[in-house]
Amino acid sequence: MFHFLCASTKKEASRLAADLAIDLLKKNPEAVLGLATGSSPLDFYADLVEANKAGQISFKKVKSVNLDEYVGLAPDHDQSYAYFMHENLFDKVDILPENTHLPSGTAKDLDAECRRYHELLLEVGTPDLQVLGIGNNGHIGFNEPADVFPENTSAVTLTESTIRANSRFFSSMDEVPKMAISMGVGEILRAKKILLLAFGTAKAEILEKALFGEVTPRVPASILQTADEVYICADDEAMAVIREKHGAIA
Ligand code: GLP
């Protein structure tokens, strides 16, 4: 079931998403959060940092699990997702470092690391809220279009289009990692609430396809149609195709 948190700009829409998370953390200060990287959650994290600074919420008892990490990048690499999380959230709020978790991109044995992360997810517990972005090809986490939905954490080979999209953060295409470790779709769907953030014209087509098209592993985000409580946080640009085809639903 989809609930829409829409506003004209990314900043305003992100505020609505942050309010959802702030409310959740006020009610449950021991919440488990599933976290995402990318440009989509930046304003959302900034609002959470502000609420923490203002004393409205505390992360002292919060536990977090991240969706994914690039294979080959150590946490001190400025394009690693561990680095991103420290820069944009962990180092700016009162979360305890030992309560934050990401897959290790530098593990020697990738299969063993995937198994370890799966076990860790079970141990940390069901996320109260899972934050997601959406890739231009419909990926969630790094679950790329495929023949089946990957159930559990796995090592994935990134598609050409994802490597191209993510090359904007690296000095050249060659530097973009070609693999990642990603939480599986089954693990993502365990969350009690899911928050999908999508902003800008580039996401308009794929957002419509994911939310209203066929449920298929060719569009990994389409699996969200089967989840109970999904919040779609989008700006006017990202909502354009949905509104064009399905009317003013939000
Ligand atoms: C990356 C991440 C995803 C993210 C996606 C969209 O590939 N692995 O988790 O959702 O990109 O990124 P952005 O939010 O920058 O558009």
Side-chain angles (χ1 to χ4, degrees), residues 65-76:
V65 285
N66 261 80
L67 282 170
D68 46 13
E69 180 59 283
Y70 283 120
V71 167
L73 300 194
D76 62 354

Side-chain angles (χ1 to χ4, degrees), residues 37-40 67-68 81 133-135 139 141-142 162 166 168 203:
T37 53
S39 53
S40 303
L67 282 170
D68 46 13
Y81 286 167
I134 181 168
H139 72 219
F142 264 133
T162 297
N166 292 357
R168 67 190 194 275
K203 301 292 168 71

Side-chain angles (χ1 to χ4, degrees), residues 14-16 32 65 76 107 130 145 176 179 190 197-198 222 235:
S14 298
R15 180 71 236 177
L16 302 176
V32 175
V65 285
D76 62 354
Q130 174 66 59
V176 189
M179 287 186 78
R190 285 194 319 143
L197 305 163
S222 65
D235 61 3

Side-chain angles (χ1 to χ4, degrees), residues 3 9 14 35 44 62 88-89 98 100 133 137 146 153 164 193 205 211-212 221 223 225 240 243-244:
H3 307 269
T9 65
S14 298
L35 300 176
F44 168 76
V62 167
N88 294 296
L89 188 68
E98 61 269 33
T100 67
N137 60 5
T153 303
R164 213 175 315 115
K193 290 183 168 66
E205 289 277 353
L211 305 190
F212 294 92
I223 196 73
Q225 294 181 35
R243 287 180 179 145
E244 193 184 298

